[in-house]
Amino acid sequence: QVQLVESGGDSVQPGGSLRLSCAASGSIVSIYAMSWYRQAPGEQRELVATVTSTGTTNYADSVKGRFTISRDNAENTMYLQMNSLKPEDTAVYYCTARPTRWVTVNSPAASWGRGTQVTVSS
């Protein structure tokens, strides 16, 4: 099972930018989908963005136009570029990997990182 490590979380002011990275311990070329989730205190886990092995991307309505997800197969790394950050973006951000379309994020076959904290405040 691939190991995932997030980095890049920080404390920034509204309107600022951050780039999160998710480094994998092995090849990500054939991984069906990699996603960023986030969870704010007292709130449910939210799917932020997904990128598939073919390059298809999807975004939550709340981040569409502000965030960009990408993957660099040569570096075994996934990224989340976050611009125009808002206080409501404050959360712990998690990286996930689904090896095939039949594996859900709740499956033992899926991988999760430990998370990185993003705080947006004045």
Side-chain angles (χ1 to χ4, degrees):
Q1 188 175 19
V2 67
Q3 305 295 114
L4 303 175
V5 179
E6 302 96 337
S7 63
D10 206 348
S11 180
V12 299
Q13 295 186 1
S17 297
L18 286 173
R19 188 177 77 157
L20 305 184
S21 298
C22 172
S25 61
S27 175
I28 65 170
V29 171
S30 61
I31 292 180
Y32 169 68
M34 299 188 71
S35 300
W36 288 97
Y37 283 79
R38 67 185 182 187
Q39 187 165 26
E43 299 187 5
Q44 296 185 32
R45 184 183 66 192
E46 176 186 21
L47 175 60
V48 177
T50 297
V51 58
T52 70
S53 59
T54 61
T56 300
T57 58
N58 285 281
Y59 298 91
D61 288 341
S62 59
V63 308
K64 198 170 299 180
R66 300 188 297 120
F67 291 10
T68 302
I69 189 171
S70 62
R71 59 197 286 174
D72 188 330
N73 292 334
E75 296 188 9
N76 296 328
T77 303
M78 178 179 67
Y79 301 96
L80 184 68
Q81 178 66 47
M82 305 186 296
N83 298 326
S84 302
L85 284 164
K86 304 174 180 180
E88 49 263 46
D89 295 319
T90 296
V92 177
Y93 284 71
Y94 299 92
C95 172
T96 69
R98 297 169 56 203
T100 74
R101 68 165 63 188
W102 301 280
V103 173
T104 72
V105 294
N106 295 320
S107 170
S111 297
W112 284 80
R114 291 185 173 88
T116 185
Q117 177 70 51
V118 172
T119 301
V120 185
S121 67
S122 299

